[in-house]
Amino acid sequence: MKSLLLSAVIGSSLLATAIAASTSAAPIAKSNPLRVGMVAATAPATGFLGAVEVTITNTSNKTARVPKWQLPNASGESELFRITRDGQPVEYVGKMVKRGVPKAKDFAILRPGQTIRTVVDLSIDYAISQPGQYSVTMAKPLQWASLSDGSSLKTPRGDFMLLQSAPLNLWLNASDLNNAALSTTGGAARGGSTVPGNPTLPPLGRDTSANPNGAGDPGPLRDRSGFGVNATYLNCSADRQALARTAIKEARTYTEVAKGYLNAGTVGTRYTWWFGTFLTARYNSAKQNFVNIDAAMDLNAGQVSINCLCDPGFEDSYAYVYPNDPYKIYVCNAFWAAPMLGTDSKAGTLIHEMSHFTIVADTDDWVYGQTGAHNLALSNPNQTSGNPSASVVGNADNHEYFGENTPNRN
């Protein structure tokens, strides 16, 4: 990530009790004290004019604690910005990371009145490849953020407050893009939503399994007991290859059952708990997502890649992917410590990560954890602030927990 941190935010100490206060039943702040400003950054003559300077100010008289990945200097670790070109969404191509509850070291400290400034080159983690009128908005839920009085940054109805800017309009012409271009490791360099050298990949988006009972019936579940796992393993010991192979098998079972549930038109507590009250369009989106996730999990000619070596700084995560680089999944320490089945399991993590790929379900990490995912389904299952990724059918953990179904719901 090519970003210049102009004023570092360093939390030199953070008590574990403060973290616990922000994740338990804590009082709610009266208003969001974090104000976000964004302007076009001045670029050098050979630079990319799509860089932005983001300022975040703590306007309260209390210290704010915010997970570092929610701040703009973590642009390549999370989809912080929503960008359109001539009204059309611009693809994010940076890391999508499954994280657990943050530890003390994961928090940044913003003292009363403090302002931080960060310059972010958007061309690194967004597919900015054509001239046009760009609109840029920073928006991220302040999950786990809190103030020093113990209050959490939530709205009265339980939604997380947003770290959000006003839209910034940028006009980029062809010469701007030519200057940036191909010297970065961003969007174009990582490739698009295809797998080079794999022209025979089955098309996603259709359920091609045999179903003699009609489209409304899930049909018989496929027997996975003799279905081998021909995946690609990188930087994995023999023991970890065996564990990853079992996780793929179990994830296939999870996605097959989940797909069958939705294909049957079932609307039980399992559905409403994770995807909210029934709405035809939302139900159909969830159903199609699981058709695609199941088809991707079933790829069996080495297309699915498990890499057991994570980048520095991400070792304690569960896993991450680059959404436009299917089907490569990087698994990290929390993955190996997780159970094979159940909540936040190895099998469920693979479903979570598979859902991120643009050609699968194109999900985001809007909120994490069972509580966050369920609250999203309860309070705002459709959208938040006009962002499709903020809906339950755009959030990866809602898909994982629906697939894991732990505890069991009908």
Side-chain angles (χ1 to χ4, degrees):
M1 180 186 74
K2 187 190 297 180
S3 65
L4 174 63
L5 182 62
L6 300 180
S7 180
V9 182
I10 303 175
S12 58
S13 65
L14 183 66
L15 295 176
T17 53
I19 300 175
S22 71
T23 57
S24 62
I28 294 175
K30 293 181 179 179
S31 61
N32 188 348
L34 302 181
R35 296 290 179 265
V36 182
M38 185 164 56
V39 297
T42 302
T46 58
F48 176 52
L49 299 182
V52 295
E53 179 179 318
V54 184
T55 60
I56 298 175
T57 302
N58 178 7
T59 64
S60 77
N61 60 1
K62 301 176 180 64
T63 298
R65 299 171 177 83
V66 183
K68 294 176 182 177
W69 61 75
Q70 295 171 2
L71 298 174
N73 53 299
S75 176
E77 303 176 20
S78 179
E79 188 174 1
L80 298 177
F81 298 90
R82 308 295 159 180
I83 304 178
T84 62
R85 181 185 64 82
D86 299 331
Q88 299 301 310
V90 172
E91 183 181 10
Y92 171 75
V93 296
K95 286 185 176 72
M96 301 291 282
V97 186
K98 176 173 167 63
R99 309 175 189 272
V101 176
K103 302 175 182 178
K105 65 182 179 63
D106 298 320
F107 283 84
I109 302 299
L110 285 82
R111 305 203 179 278
Q114 182 178 0
T115 296
I116 61 169
R117 291 178 173 85
T118 308
V119 173
V120 181
D121 184 348
L122 299 172
S123 71
I124 302 303
D125 296 304
Y126 294 84
I128 297 176
S129 58
Q130 298 181 55
Q133 181 71 48
Y134 285 81
S135 177
V136 182
T137 305
M138 180 178 173
K140 198 68 177 177
L142 288 163
Q143 185 174 15
W144 294 304
S146 67
L147 300 180
S148 52
D149 64 358
S151 58
S152 58
L153 299 185
K154 292 182 179 181
T155 68
R157 71 176 186 177
D159 296 330
F160 298 112
M161 294 178 181
L162 297 181
L163 194 63
Q164 185 167 15
S165 71
L168 172 67
N169 293 322
L170 298 169
W171 173 260
L172 302 181
N173 59 38
S175 62
D176 297 332
L177 294 166
N178 288 338
N179 286 337
L182 305 172
S183 61
T184 74
T185 57
R190 283 203 192 103
S193 299
T194 58
V195 180
N198 261 324
T200 58
L201 283 180
L204 297 182
R206 293 181 299 162
D207 182 2
T208 57
S209 61
N211 183 5
N213 301 317
D217 186 281
L221 296 181
R222 281 170 275 170
D223 179 7
R224 305 304 179 94
S225 60
F227 192 38
V229 176
N230 185 10
T232 299
Y233 302 94
L234 301 172
N235 304 303
C236 300
S237 66
D239 288 345
R240 288 192 166 181
Q241 283 190 39
L243 285 170
R245 188 176 296 112
T246 300
I248 293 173
K249 288 182 179 180
E250 298 294 354
R252 287 172 172 174
T253 299
Y254 271 158
T255 59
E256 181 76 3
V257 171
K259 182 185 71 172
Y261 179 104
L262 294 168
N263 279 350
T266 309
V267 185
T269 56
R270 176 179 183 175
Y271 174 81
T272 58
W273 193 268
W274 299 119
F275 290 118
T277 57
F278 178 82
L279 185 69
T280 299
R282 184 164 65 243
Y283 193 95
N284 288 342
S285 294
K287 178 169 68 173
Q288 189 60 61
N289 284 354
F290 269 98
V291 167
N292 291 357
I293 296 167
D294 185 64
M297 289 303 314
D298 280 355
L299 293 173
N300 209 41
Q303 302 98 326
V304 176
S305 170
I306 303 295
N307 193 324
C308 297
L309 182 63
C310 291
D311 287 345
F314 296 89
E315 300 94 334
D316 291 338
S317 305
Y318 282 87
Y320 63 85
V321 300
Y322 296 97
N324 72 328
D325 196 11
Y327 301 92
K328 299 175 183 177
I329 301 175
Y330 299 78
V331 291
C332 312
N333 289 344
F335 176 87
W336 301 113
M340 184 60 68
L341 297 172
T343 301
D344 292 315
S345 62
K346 291 182 176 70
T349 295
L350 296 183
I351 295 172
H352 176 116
E353 297 304 322
M354 193 63 79
S355 77
H356 280 318
F357 293 117
T358 307
I359 63 171
V360 178
D362 197 19
T363 63
D364 191 3
D365 291 314
W366 188 250
V367 295
Y368 291 105
Q370 283 200 337
T371 299
H374 176 55
N375 287 345
L376 185 62
L378 282 177
S379 64
N380 204 344
N382 289 327
Q383 288 193 33
T384 300
S385 301
N387 172 20
S389 296
S391 68
V392 287
V393 293
N395 192 58
D397 261 355
N398 289 76
H399 292 76
E400 174 178 344
Y401 298 138
F402 181 83
E404 291 171 336
N405 194 29
T406 305
N408 185 277
R409 295 181 174 90
N410 65 20

